[in-house]
Each structure stands twice: as structure tokens, then as C-alpha cells.
Amino acid sequence: MRLSLRFILPLILTLSFVAYFTVPLIDKLTLKWFSRDLEIRSSLVANTLSEAVLSTEIQNSAQQKLRLKDLFSRATQDERLFAIAYCGANNSEMIASPQMPTTIRCVTLVQTSELRPKILEFASGPLHVSYALIGSQGSYLILVHDMSFVQRRTADTKNYVFLFFILLALVISVLTVLIAQLSWLGWIKGIRSMLTIHRPDIRNVAPELRPIVREIRTLFRDREHFSRDEAQISWSAQTLRDVLKNDLAGEEVIIVSNREPYIHMHHDNKIEIQSPASGLVTALEPVMRACSGTWVAHGSGTADADVVDSSQIVQVPPENPSYNLKRVWLTKEEELGYYYGFSNEGLWPLCHIAHTRPIFRSDDWKCYLAVNEKFANAVIEECKTEDPVILVQDYHLAMVPRLIKEKLPNATVITFWHIPWPNPEAFGICPWRERILDGLLGSDILGFHTRFHCNNFTDTVDRFLESRIDRDTSTISYNGSKTAVRNYPISIEWPLKDLNKQPTIPLCRLQVCQDNQLPFDAKIGIGVDRLDYTKGILERFYAVERLLEIDSTLLGKLCFVQIGAPSRSSIAEYQNFENIVRKEAARINQKFGSKTYKPITLRVRHHQPFEVTTYFRAADFCFVSSLHDGMNLVAKEFIAARDDNNGVLILSQFAGAAKELVESIVVNPYNIDQCAEAIRLALVMPVPEQVARMKSMRFYIQEYNVFRWAGRMLLDAARMRKRGKFSNPLFPSL
Ligand code: F6P
């Protein structure tokens, strides 16, 4: 607006200035034209009157003079013709109409040039005086025209000219501003495309901007090459796609994990699709949606084989397919030995300090090796180039990095360990510890959630393998290759998928209360976990019990809903655990409940992510009380679900998430009284404090989302690939 004014005002001034000088010129010109008109008119009038006048001249009687006067008077009734006079030859007496100014007299003609028309100023205004010779004796008529109309017209013209210039100024200004705005938008679009440095086609940029675009793109690329700092990037699915396209030259990403993102199940003669309760899936599914590529995983659903093609591939997500899910089939024995046995009876309790003794069987180990080979082969089968980027996930596949590197030495293998890594003493229990370490060190990058777990891993390698450890760069050189050990705290997609399709918070509350027969004024707590002994589900129940013991006002009000996804149910430890959970819930309900009130509602079944989000939105607080956890994404999902900024998170200090979500109420789940107090605090926390804490955590997760997690790993891999081309000729091992 200010810019427009700055332009319009000077333009109007300039045009007014021009108008000021133009008007006198127009004045002169119109005067000339009107004078010419009057001359023509005068001669016309003279011609018309001449005959009558001449006949009068011949007779020259007094009566005839009177008739002439009368003729002149009638002729001057025309509004322009002011006066007429007759001058006879030899300067005889003037016969004139009554209005003839006295200053105009007959003169003796010496030369006809004396009869040139003139303009005379009178009190009534300017008069145009012209002469017309009649007959041959030298007599003539004087015709006086009133010129005041010229003055009036000139004044009008002046006004019109001024108005015209002002209008012109306005039209020019508006047009100019409009054109400027449009070209400004064009420029902005152009500049935008300049800054979209990876925009493939420069032809999309306006021609005049192309040289600048080229310059800026080169500049950006150089800058980026040397100082791309992922901390300064705002991460989204698109940023991740850009990293893949530009930093990894469009490399196809292959993810391999035990758990698959979509499980097809036969149910009531139909095929239903489940999203498993798994932090790994929660994190990686949006990454795959963003990156496309292929996800290799165990096909564990009863209908999985019915929906794949001949390459064992099905396109997912079902509602909008964007990547391949390649299924690996396992026999019952393989599943038993590799998944239930070595992975979940051995490594899982080994890495989680949850006081459940790990069980290691040689047969399970053999199975683990064989299945790892199966997964590695499935991945290699999918690779179209010699140097793909492969993301290996979790403790089920510790041997896969080495197996891939043996067959594809130029592949970039990034392995992420989703569970904690214990200290060397604890890990040392594993009879095949060196083999597992060797398998993992086939990775170019090995990621953990926390630096603490990185350090535990490095110390374990230090203890059990011949290797060179550079603690400065967190790199382990082993067997001629290097592995960078880095911490990448995992996170979730932001915003949460389908959050905008969720009912409002009051409706979520209503639905949860109705579905679980809770009083409508209930104080609702929520826990969402796989039924796993590491999650601290019992400790949470004990905290509810303790609080009801010490604060009877909460009886009938405090309702804790535990969603428990059945998990690893073939393992005796898990079966026992589920039984204890059911028993303890029943005991506490027995102790404090009534016909209409149940302090603990246990929902043991699979819940789809959308349902879980509804529970998060309905709750007054969410309790995450893991006894030991790599990260725990339930905590982050609860926060993401609360777009109303209300609700309190109680979080175990033994979950990796506690390092990031410091605004939660952090507890030691083994301290039951402290946990009870945490619930009480959550229930009385003033809304402004809830909002402040929630806002801060939401801001953090928005920034540190799963795209950043994946993006950081991929950027590190890209840097490694670039630098790998420049080994030191004097110290090749460096
Ligand atoms: O990190 C999440 C995690 O604990 C994984 O390690 C594990 O694979 C998953 O959740 C769920 O377990 P499962 O795949 O055995 O159902």
C-alpha cells in the first residue's frame, strides 16, 4: 500500500503539472478556432443582410434608415450576434443596432486591411468585431459578436482537462500497480523456484529469472554440500523425500524388519487388515509412505499369502498404495526358534533389565541364523543396484547387516536397534555375543535411541572383540570396515495420521465412557501397551490401588483403562504375565469396585490406531510406566493426540522418552507411592499448567518427528558415501 502511494502521488502531481501548462495552450487554440468560426459567421450574416442594406442605401431616406435599424435589431436577437452597424461610403453616419458600443465607430477606409477583425474587451466581456464590405462603393457592415461564451467554454474545457488528467493519473496508477503486483507475484514464484533448489526443470522458471536461478541453485548446492545441518531443517515427509532424491541420488530404500506394517487376517469369511501394536511399525510406516521403496518383513497374518503376487509382494497402505511390502514366509519351527525363542526369550529379556531371566537354546540360535539368512536373501533379491540403502531393524535381525555386506559390499547398511543395549556384563551372558556383535558391525551406521545405549554397545565391543574404537567420532573399526555408532531418538509422524478425522475431545470422552460403562464425570487414566512384562502394567495398577487407599474421595471417580494388545502369547512368560495382569485388575476391582464402579478396565484385544487415539483424547492422564524401554512411542502418541493441549503424561524414568519429554511427570515405576502421588498430581494439575506442559512437549515432538529420525540417518549415510570416495592414501585404515 505504502509502495502504491509512493508511486501514485508523484504521478498525480506530475500530471497536474503537465495539465497546468497544457491548459493555456488549449485556451489559445480554442480562441483561434472560435474567432475563425465567428468570422465565417459574420460574413454569412453580412451576405444575408447585404441586399436589404444596399437597397436602403440607395433610397437613403429617414424612414428607410429606421427600417434598417429595425432590421439590425431583429438580426441581433440571435444570442451570439451582439450588435450590427452600417457604415456608408465616405464615412457617412453610422446606422447601428441599439447595443452597439459607442467606442466602435465608422472610419474612412484607406485600405481594406483596416477592416481586419479584432477582439475588444468590454465590461460585459470580450467582443469579436468583424467588418464586411458590401456593394462596390466602400460601405461596410460592422458585426459584433459576444465572445463571453468562448470564456465559458474555455473554463469548462479547463475543468475537463484537469479532470481528464487526474483520471488518467488514476487509471495509469491502478494499471501500473496491478501489473507491478502481478509481476511481483511472478517474481516471488520465480524466487521460490530458485530456492526449491532441487526442482528438476528450469523451464518452469520465468526466462528472465533463469540465470539468477542457476546461480542461486549452484550456491545452495555448494553450501549444502559443506554445511547441511539437519538441526536447522524443519522435517516433514517432503524433506525426507528430498534427502533421498538429492543426497542419495534417488536410491531406492529397502527396509527389513521382523514385524510387518499391515497384517491380513481371515475373519468371518472376509479379509481384515490389522496395524500391529509395535513402536517399530508406528515409526517406520510413515517413513516408508514418504520414501516409497520396499519393506521386507515376516508375513504373519492368516490371509497374508492370499494377497501377494508371485514375488510375494503386496502394495500398501491398503487405502492408498505407495510402497511394496515383500513378505518372508517362516515355518512354525522357524518362528518358534527364531522369533519366540532366540529373539524374545533370549535377546529381549537380555536387553531389558526387567528381571526376567533370558533363555538361550542352541537350536533357537541355529534357527535365528537360518532365518536371518532368509531375510538377508529376500533383501538382496529386491536390490536393483550394487549400492542400495538398506535399513535393518531391531534385535530379530542382528546377523543381517553382515550377511548383506558379504554379498553387496557397496551397499549402505543402516541398522537401528529399537530396544535398550545393556552394559557389557549383562550382554556377556549371551553365549553367542561375539557373533551378534560381528553381525551388527556389518552395518555402516548402527543406531540406538540414546547415547547411553551407544556407550553400552561400544563398551561391549571393546570388551569382547578385537577392534579399534574412536570415541571422538563414535566409530568402531573392525575387520577392515568401519561402523559409526550414533544415537537417533525415534519419534512419530507429525501430525498424527487421521487426527483431523477424530471426534472432538468431549465426544471422545462420551464414547469411551459409554463403551466402558464409566461415570460421565470420571477421572480417566489410560495405559496402552502390548501385554509385556517390561511395560510396568502391574506397577501402574498398584499405583491406582495405592491412591484409592489413601484418597477415598476418588472412589467411584478414578477409572483407569488399560488397553493390552496380546503379544508373544506362545511364550510361557507372556502367558503368565497376562494371567497376573487379569488377576490383579480383578483383585483391585473387587477391593474398591461396586456394581456400578470399576477402578480398572482391562481391554485385552487388538485396537486399531484410530481407536487408540480416541482413548488418548478422552483421558485426563496417560501413564507410561515401563520398567525399561528403548524409547516408548505411546508417550509421544498421547501428546500428539492432544491437540486441545490438555491432559497429563506420567512417564517412567526408565523409558528413553523421559530424556526428551521433561515436561511430563517423571516417575520411578518401582516406587508405588511416588506413582500414586503422580496420579494425584495429574488429577489436580490446574488447566493452565497442563496446557503449558503439553504445548511445550507438542512443540518438541513436532520438531523432533520421525522424519527427522530417518532423515538424520539417511543424511549421515549420504555423507559417508560421499566421503568414502576419498580415502587417505597414506593411512588407508583411517
Ligand atoms: O520398539 C518397538 C518394539 O518393542 C520392537 O522392538 C518390537 O518388535 C515391537 O515393538 C513389538 O513387538 P513384536 O514385533 O514382537 O510384536
Side-chain angles (χ1 to χ4, degrees):
M1 183 64 196
R2 263 168 57 196
L3 196 81
S4 313
L5 280 179
R6 255 188 245 158
F7 172 72
I8 291 171
L9 279 180
L11 186 74
I12 291 178
L13 283 176
T14 314
L15 285 177
S16 312
F17 198 63
V18 172
Y20 181 77
F21 285 104
T22 313
V23 166
L25 281 177
I26 292 172
D27 244 2
K28 262 191 183 167
L29 206 66
T30 46
L31 192 68
K32 210 170 143 189
W33 288 341
F34 282 125
S35 301
R36 287 267 317 136
D37 276 0
L38 289 177
E39 278 158 35
I40 293 168
R41 203 167 188 273
S42 299
S43 70
L44 201 76
V45 174
N47 283 341
T48 318
L49 295 178
S50 59
E51 214 175 297
V53 174
L54 281 176
S55 66
T56 312
E57 190 183 27
I58 296 159
Q59 295 160 18
N60 208 10
S61 67
Q63 196 188 3
Q64 294 301 81
K65 280 179 193 169
L66 268 177
R67 277 177 55 193
L68 206 55
K69 269 193 178 181
D70 183 47
L71 176 70
F72 288 169
S73 299
R74 270 187 281 123
T76 51
Q77 271 168 11
D78 174 290
E79 75 172 303
R80 300 265 167 83
L81 195 56
F82 186 71
I84 306 179
Y86 167 78
C87 294
N90 310 322
N91 198 12
S92 61
E93 178 198 358
M94 175 191 259
I95 303 165
S97 63
Q99 276 183 306
M100 179 59 82
T102 49
T103 45
I104 298 175
R105 298 177 184 287
C106 293
V107 290
T108 313
L109 288 183
V110 180
Q111 280 182 335
T112 47
S113 62
E114 284 175 44
L115 298 184
R116 239 182 286 135
K118 26 178 127 32
I119 294 168
L120 300 173
E121 279 302 329
F122 280 88
S124 57
L127 294 177
H128 180 271
V129 184
S130 59
Y131 306 87
L133 281 169
I134 49 170
S136 51
Q137 306 301 316
S139 51
Y140 58 94
L141 288 177
I142 303 174
L143 295 114
V144 181
H145 275 93
D146 179 6
M147 278 192 91
S148 59
F149 80 96
V150 177
Q151 254 182 349
R152 279 198 307 277
R153 283 196 182 173
T154 311
D156 280 354
T157 314
K158 261 187 214 164
N159 292 341
Y160 286 135
V161 168
F162 263 116
L163 254 171
F164 168 75
F165 274 103
I166 284 171
L167 268 175
L168 188 70
L170 280 174
V171 170
I172 293 178
S173 311
V174 168
L175 279 179
T176 316
V177 169
L178 214 80
I179 291 166
Q181 286 285 354
L182 287 177
S183 17
W184 179 245
L185 286 178
W187 271 75
I188 292 206
K189 229 173 121 192
I191 303 271
R192 273 211 189 115
S193 64
M194 278 184 223
L195 299 177
T196 318
I197 45 174
H198 306 303
R199 191 184 173 117
D201 197 349
I202 198 151
R203 282 171 300 177
N204 296 331
V205 179
E208 67 274 18
L209 291 175
R210 280 179 201 163
I212 315 173
V213 170
R214 283 195 195 98
E215 285 292 311
I216 292 186
R217 284 186 181 181
T218 321
L219 216 97
F220 265 75
R221 271 198 204 113
D222 289 352
R223 221 186 89 79
E224 198 187 323
H225 182 77
F226 292 110
S227 66
R228 183 158 183 157
D229 182 356
E230 66 273 354
Q232 286 165 17
I233 301 173
S234 198
W235 285 94
S236 65
Q238 185 54 46
T239 338
L240 195 58
R241 274 193 283 273
D242 287 348
V243 165
L244 273 179
K245 198 155 74 191
N246 304 300
D247 296 76
L248 286 162
E251 218 40 88
E252 193 188 25
V253 170
I254 299 178
I255 287 185
V256 54
S257 72
N258 171 70
R259 185 60 66 208
E260 59 181 343
Y262 294 96
I263 306 177
H264 289 83
M265 299 292 282
H266 284 300
H267 189 255
D268 290 342
N269 290 330
K270 278 190 305 202
I271 293 181
E272 277 182 1
I273 301 171
Q274 279 186 5
S275 299
S278 157
L280 179 153
V281 169
T282 305
L284 283 166
E285 209 280 330
V287 171
M288 272 316 265
R289 259 190 277 128
C291 300
S292 301
T294 303
W295 187 330
V296 179
H298 172 211
S300 57
T302 50
D304 274 0
D306 301 335
V307 294
V308 293
D309 63 15
S310 57
S311 314
Q312 318 308 321
I313 286 176
V314 57
Q315 287 256 307
V316 287
E319 68 280 3
N320 182 21
S322 58
Y323 63 93
N324 292 335
L325 170 58
K326 182 183 171 87
R327 284 172 168 152
V328 173
W329 311 114
L330 301 181
T331 62
K332 276 275 156 266
E333 292 69 39
E334 282 174 329
E335 208 181 332
L336 215 61
Y338 141 82
Y339 174 73
Y340 290 109
F342 194 78
S343 298
N344 286 318
E345 286 189 292
L347 289 178
W348 179 267
L350 177 76
C351 292
H352 289 91
I353 323 273
H355 315 289
T356 297
R357 197 186 159 117
I359 301 169
F360 290 110
R361 305 180 192 96
S362 298
D363 283 350
D364 290 349
W365 169 242
K366 279 187 205 134
C367 239
Y368 186 83
L369 288 179
V371 171
N372 267 244
E373 207 161 337
K374 217 173 193 178
F375 274 100
N377 290 339
V379 170
I380 290 161
E381 221 171 80
E382 277 311 297
C383 294
K384 294 181 183 69
T385 58
E386 288 198 330
D387 57 352
V389 177
I390 297 164
L391 303 175
V392 181
Q393 305 301 314
D394 230 354
Y395 60 98
H396 314 86
L397 303 175
M399 311 309 287
V400 168
R402 174 70 61 210
L403 290 167
I404 289 175
K405 267 301 168 85
E406 278 168 5
K407 299 224 171 102
L408 290 175
N410 294 326
T412 300
V413 179
I414 305 171
T415 304
F416 195 80
W417 193 262
H418 288 257
I419 60 175
W421 189 279
N423 61 40
E425 287 73 33
F427 193 79
I429 292 170
C430 176
W432 300 281
R433 62 199 179 196
E434 288 87 358
R435 295 286 307 277
I436 287 174
L437 294 174
D438 175 86
L440 287 172
L441 289 175
S443 320
D444 297 278
I445 296 175
L446 177 57
F448 296 92
H449 294 298
T450 64
R451 176 114 300 276
F452 182 65
H453 296 150
C454 293
N455 293 343
N456 278 351
F457 177 80
T458 310
D459 292 346
T460 310
V461 172
D462 203 12
R463 178 79 58 91
F464 298 112
L465 290 184
E466 277 296 323
S467 61
R468 190 151 52 80
I469 293 170
D470 183 339
R471 292 194 188 258
D472 254 4
T473 57
S474 301
T475 313
I476 298 173
S477 300
Y478 169 74
N479 227 355
S481 66
K482 274 192 223 171
T483 302
V485 181
R486 302 269 155 82
N487 66 312
Y488 303 100
I490 206 166
S491 194
I492 53 167
E493 165 178 45
W494 189 280
L496 216 53
K497 191 182 169 198
D498 292 337
L499 185 63
N500 53 358
K501 295 187 189 143
Q502 278 284 336
T504 59
I505 299 282
L507 281 178
C508 289
R509 279 188 75 91
L510 196 70
Q511 193 177 321
V512 166
C513 290
Q514 272 169 356
D515 291 355
N516 298 283
Q517 291 92 47
L518 308 182
F520 289 118
D521 62 344
K523 296 282 182 193
I524 305 173
I526 178 83
V528 180
D529 306 85
R530 284 182 302 104
L531 281 174
D532 192 298
Y533 53 82
T534 61
K535 299 296 180 186
I537 298 170
L538 292 173
E539 286 70 9
R540 206 170 295 175
F541 289 178
Y542 299 149
V544 171
E545 179 183 20
R546 184 78 192 113
L547 185 57
L548 291 176
E549 276 168 6
I550 54 182
D551 187 350
S552 56
T553 61
L554 288 171
L555 282 171
K557 282 209 178 97
L558 175 58
C559 299
F560 192 81
V561 181
Q562 176 65 47
I563 290 180
S567 178
R568 305 171 190 171
S569 320
S570 302
I571 299 174
E573 193 66 40
Y574 282 81
Q575 291 163 6
N576 290 342
F577 181 70
E578 187 181 324
N579 286 337
I580 298 173
V581 167
R582 285 183 188 277
K583 257 201 220 140
E584 286 301 279
R587 182 183 62 77
I588 296 166
N589 284 341
Q590 178 75 31
K591 186 166 165 186
F592 297 105
S594 65
K595 268 194 183 153
T596 52
Y597 171 60
K598 242 184 4 173
I600 294 175
T601 302
L602 188 56
R603 298 175 60 94
V604 179
R605 71 161 172 85
H606 179 77
H607 290 70
Q608 291 286 44
F610 194 81
E611 267 183 286
V612 172
T613 306
T614 308
Y615 274 85
F616 284 144
R617 288 166 70 76
D620 291 294
F621 68 95
C622 173
F623 202 161
V624 174
S625 49
S626 310
L627 304 179
H628 202 188
D629 217 332
M631 171 56 70
N632 195 295
L633 292 184
V634 167
K636 293 188 176 180
E637 285 178 290
F638 169 65
I639 289 162
R642 297 313 296 258
D643 52 4
D644 64 333
N645 292 320
N646 278 222
V648 180
L649 174 66
I650 304 172
L651 181 56
S652 161
Q653 68 182 99
F654 305 121
K659 304 265 178 304
E660 295 180 274
L661 305 176
V662 291
E663 301 86 344
S664 60
I665 302 182
V666 177
V667 294
N668 174 354
Y670 291 95
N671 186 341
I672 302 302
D673 279 310
Q674 188 191 59
C675 290
E677 174 61 8
I679 297 177
R680 198 192 61 76
L681 276 176
L683 295 180
V684 299
M685 187 181 283
V687 171
E689 189 180 340
Q690 290 185 31
V691 170
R693 286 172 183 264
M694 188 56 87
K695 266 190 178 169
S696 177
M697 289 190 282
R698 285 176 64 80
F699 181 72
Y700 182 86
I701 298 174
Q702 180 176 5
E703 279 298 304
Y704 290 83
N705 56 34
V706 76
F707 303 115
R708 181 183 291 269
W709 172 78
R712 281 185 58 215
M713 284 195 285
L714 292 175
L715 274 180
D716 283 351
R719 270 187 217 114
M720 237 172 226
R721 278 159 89 103
K722 274 181 201 143
R723 286 187 189 151
K725 294 179 186 137
F726 308 110
S727 65
N728 190 320
L730 298 179
F731 298 99
S733 63
L734 268 186

